[in-house]
Amino acid sequence: MEVLFRRNGWGGREPRPRPELWWRCQRCGWLGCQNLPGERLSPMRRLDGDEAVCFFCGEDESNVAGDPWEEDGELRDWVVCLTCGTSNTRRLGRAPRDGAGPD
């Protein structure tokens, strides 16, 4: 699978392919991303509802997100649009004190 375009080509540059390697199981629809060849695949989850709509190109059911992580006392994740390729880190709220993931 290839996520073709990266919209944040600043300075008037044309969109270009994203640098990661993308994998999708044809049978079950599982989706994963690999930052560098040989690295472990990172699972990506499909988002539902309003979160699934890309806030850059407007395509419905195109946003996927990686596993959340904690940074500066907040939970964050990485969202990628499978249509236009734009990605963004988003804040999910305060990190739980017990180390559990988001609800």
Side-chain angles (χ1 to χ4, degrees), residues 69-75 93-103:
W69 73 88
E70 185 178 334
E71 184 175 316
D72 299 328
E74 292 183 317
L75 283 177
R94 284 193 169 145
R97 293 182 189 263
D98 63 3
D103 293 337

Side-chain angles (χ1 to χ4, degrees), residues 18 55-56 64 69 77-81 85-90:
R18 290 205 53 93
F55 21 84
F56 295 100
V64 296
W69 73 88
D77 67 2
W78 178 54
V79 177
V80 179
C81 174
T86 303
S87 66
N88 204 23
T89 301
R90 67 180 180 161

Side-chain angles (χ1 to χ4, degrees), residues 2 6 8 15-17 23 27-28 31 34 36 38 44 48-49 52 60 73-75 80 88 97 101-102:
E2 186 175 14
R6 186 175 176 180
N8 48 348
R16 60 190 186 274
W23 304 84
R27 192 175 319 151
C28 71
L31 186 64
Q34 188 179 37
L36 296 170
M44 301 294 285
D48 295 322
D60 192 24
E74 292 183 317
L75 283 177
V80 179
N88 204 23
R97 293 182 189 263

Side-chain angles (χ1 to χ4, degrees), residues 16-84:
R16 60 190 186 274
R18 290 205 53 93
E20 311 88 18
L21 300 172
W22 289 84
W23 304 84
R24 177 176 47 209
C25 176
Q26 295 297 324
R27 192 175 319 151
C28 71
W30 180 89
L31 186 64
C33 173
Q34 188 179 37
N35 289 318
L36 296 170
E39 281 190 355
R40 190 174 145 241
L41 290 174
S42 298
M44 301 294 285
R45 66 188 187 286
R46 296 188 184 276
L47 299 176
D48 295 322
D50 291 340
E51 291 184 324
V53 178
C54 177
F55 21 84
F56 295 100
C57 73
E59 189 67 30
D60 192 24
E61 297 183 12
S62 62
N63 280 345
V64 296
D67 288 335
W69 73 88
E70 185 178 334
E71 184 175 316
D72 299 328
E74 292 183 317
L75 283 177
R76 298 179 187 207
D77 67 2
W78 178 54
V79 177
V80 179
C81 174
L82 297 177
T83 301
C84 72

